[in-house]
Amino acid sequence: MLKNQLPTGVRDELGINARIKETTVNTIQNYFYQRGFEKIKTPVIEYQDVFEDYDVGQQRLFKFLSASGNSVVLRPDMTLPLARVLSSTQVKLPAKFYYSGDIFRINKALSGSQDEMTQAGAELIGFSSMKAEQECLSMMIELAQILELDSIQIELGLARFVKQILEMLTDNIDQIHAIEEALFSKQITKYNQLIAAFDESEYTSLLKIWPRLFGPAQDVLDEIFPYKFPERLQEKVTELRQLVSWLQVRYPNQNVEIDLSTRAPQDYYTGITFQAYSSQSATFLFSGGRYDHLLNHFQKEKVAAIGLGIDVDQIALISQADCQTTPMTYIYFNDNQWELAEQKLMELDKATLCLVDSLEEAQKVADNNDGQLLDLTAEVIK
């Protein structure tokens, strides 16, 4: 392998790409800080068993051995390491944290996804109130405005709605899994064949419309209104209805949809989930949900929690596409003009000192970089 080549799926960043991405991360972090969140950092390398009980995005892990011979991985997720930190320290709860960093997931070749991704986000730990969901949604909407994204569309869901319905109909785990996979992958013919076994169920009509249980929030809520769900599930449906009502009052112009026919963004979510996207991107820019059982993976006590993840790479790409690139001004000067050159550097929006020895070389630098030359030795812009 050539020394100047990178492994597939990772990247170097420089120039405007690196600058926009750094600005995006700083904007997000400053926003969370102003809201009273504390920063948390976790290592890029984690023990493999931190993730092994959860299907983190159906992705394969980058695995290798530590010096002690233990299996370690490049983190594929930010929330699980945060849960590990909280369970092993004496952090007083409830608490709010924010983070940013790279995650690593081996994606299928030609899938269009990078193996190295930058993610930022927030975790609200120890809050069981729906106010936590409301703050996450508010932050999504406000950050979209701050980052100058097109009007985002919010999609709400219930992480275990599908499984809880199917568990009421059968205790056959393989049958449940097969129906889930057919539903999530929209294999309608196969799905209809699988649900034929429940033609006499009180949920038969629900099963038949299930693949179409997505769309404007109120339409989906009206579709499921006639059904009487068990108490544990009805409570979640009621919370979903209340959250939609809250959004309609607080953000009356916000486009809100519900999807009850798709897989939760993460395997560890337990309640309401939310995602947001815009017309500028084919993938979700914000994603999150409630995960009240996650800390049980590391400790005995159950702790309520909810998180919000942000795809920094996608947002930076949108910002880059929208950015009207101002050409760089290269300031050429004599040795006795340092003070004047520094003054011009501070006055101009996008400029740099040109450190070559001749005007001819300075002009070549400007031309090669599609910039403009400010020649202080002649006091004119060429």
Side-chain angles (χ1 to χ4, degrees):
M1 182 177 292
L2 297 177
K3 292 182 179 180
N4 64 342
Q5 290 185 340
L6 282 172
T8 301
V10 298
R11 76 279 170 160
D12 291 316
E13 294 175 336
L14 72 162
I16 188 171
N17 298 331
R19 179 171 57 81
I20 289 177
K21 188 169 175 179
E22 183 178 21
T23 299
T24 300
V25 170
N26 290 338
T27 298
I28 293 170
Q29 292 193 133
N30 288 338
Y31 174 78
F32 287 136
Y33 177 77
Q34 289 170 1
R35 291 188 73 98
F37 285 66
E38 295 290 337
K39 186 166 185 177
I40 187 169
K41 293 184 69 175
T42 61
V44 173
I45 298 174
E46 291 274 357
Y47 284 115
Q48 183 177 338
D49 61 5
V50 170
F51 307 96
E52 63 185 9
D53 287 349
Y54 292 94
D55 188 350
V56 284
Q58 297 77 52
Q59 309 288 346
R60 291 176 294 168
L61 308 179
F62 286 94
K63 305 175 186 177
F64 50 101
L65 295 178
S66 67
S68 61
N70 293 310
S71 294
V72 293
V73 299
L74 296 180
R75 63 186 178 204
D77 175 85
M78 298 292 281
T79 300
L80 282 157
L82 184 142
R84 174 193 57 75
V85 170
L86 295 179
S87 66
S88 60
T89 57
Q90 300 300 314
V91 175
K92 292 182 179 180
L93 300 179
K96 300 177 182 180
F97 300 97
Y98 71 90
Y99 63 83
S100 65
D102 288 345
I103 58 175
F104 302 84
R105 300 173 182 170
I106 300 176
N107 291 284
K108 293 181 180 179
L110 305 180
S111 67
S113 298
Q114 292 290 318
D115 294 345
E116 178 187 5
M117 296 156 280
T118 302
Q119 187 180 83
E123 310 289 344
L124 294 75
I125 313 298
F127 298 94
S128 58
S129 167
M130 193 183 294
K131 289 180 180 179
E133 277 90 348
Q134 292 168 346
E135 177 162 32
C136 284
L137 291 169
S138 292
M139 291 191 297
M140 282 198 310
I141 294 169
E142 291 174 6
L143 269 172
Q145 294 172 345
I146 293 170
L147 294 167
E148 299 182 350
L149 301 173
D150 278 353
S151 297
I152 62 168
Q153 181 164 301
I154 292 176
E155 183 179 287
L156 303 176
L158 290 176
R160 301 190 176 181
F161 184 81
V162 173
K163 185 175 290 293
Q164 288 179 334
I165 293 290
L166 295 177
E167 286 175 345
M168 293 187 297
L169 303 175
T170 178
D171 57 2
N172 185 321
I173 297 176
D174 292 336
Q175 189 177 23
I176 290 174
H177 179 70
I179 296 173
E180 282 184 315
E181 289 304 309
L183 177 64
F184 294 152
S185 60
K186 298 298 185 284
Q187 299 178 50
I188 305 303
T189 300
K190 182 178 181 180
Y191 171 80
N192 288 333
Q193 292 171 347
L194 291 169
I195 66 170
F198 309 110
D199 275 349
E200 303 302 321
S201 165
E202 62 180 306
Y203 295 105
T204 299
S205 59
L206 175 65
L207 293 175
K208 290 181 178 180
I209 66 170
W210 209 340
R212 302 190 302 276
L213 276 182
F214 62 89
Q218 197 57 55
D219 291 351
V220 175
L221 291 173
D222 290 343
E223 287 266 23
I224 64 174
F225 179 76
Y227 300 96
K228 304 301 180 185
F229 300 110
E231 183 177 354
R232 60 177 180 155
L233 185 54
Q234 186 61 52
E235 180 182 334
K236 298 299 181 184
V237 172
T238 299
E239 289 177 354
L240 185 60
R241 191 179 300 276
Q242 292 171 347
L243 194 57
V244 169
S245 296
W246 178 84
L247 281 166
Q248 290 171 340
V249 172
R250 182 164 175 78
Y251 301 100
N253 297 321
Q254 177 61 53
N255 188 353
V256 181
E257 296 194 346
I258 290 176
D259 191 345
L260 298 178
S261 66
T262 193
R263 192 188 307 273
Q266 292 293 353
D267 186 49
Y268 47 72
Y269 288 148
T270 59
I272 289 175
T273 63
F274 40 83
Q275 297 176 301
Y277 57 94
S278 82
S279 59
Q280 298 162 287
S281 174
T283 61
F284 289 104
L285 304 177
F286 302 87
S287 181
R290 182 166 286 280
Y291 52 92
D292 285 346
H293 303 308
L294 184 58
L295 267 69
N296 287 120
H297 182 56
F298 303 98
Q299 63 186 37
K300 293 181 179 180
E301 296 81 7
K302 175 184 173 182
V303 178
I306 189 168
L308 166 64
I310 304 170
D311 189 332
V312 171
D313 292 315
Q314 283 298 318
I315 292 175
L317 282 174
I318 292 171
S319 299
Q320 180 181 336
D322 291 343
C323 180
Q324 296 295 325
T325 305
T326 302
M328 180 71 75
T329 297
Y330 293 86
I331 303 172
Y332 176 68
F333 58 101
N334 290 327
D335 285 347
N336 62 355
Q337 293 180 302
W338 268 98
E339 185 175 345
L340 177 59
E342 293 281 3
Q343 178 184 333
K344 292 294 184 181
L345 185 63
M346 295 299 103
E347 292 175 355
L348 297 171
D349 288 337
K350 189 176 180 182
T352 187
L353 299 180
C354 190
L355 306 178
V356 296
D357 291 325
S358 71
L359 180 59
E360 182 180 3
E361 289 178 284
Q363 188 64 64
K364 286 181 180 180
V365 170
D367 292 343
N368 289 340
N369 291 281
D370 297 320
Q372 61 182 1
L373 180 65
L374 174 58
D375 180 9
L376 295 185
T377 64
E379 296 185 353
V380 295
I381 296 181
K382 297 185 178 179

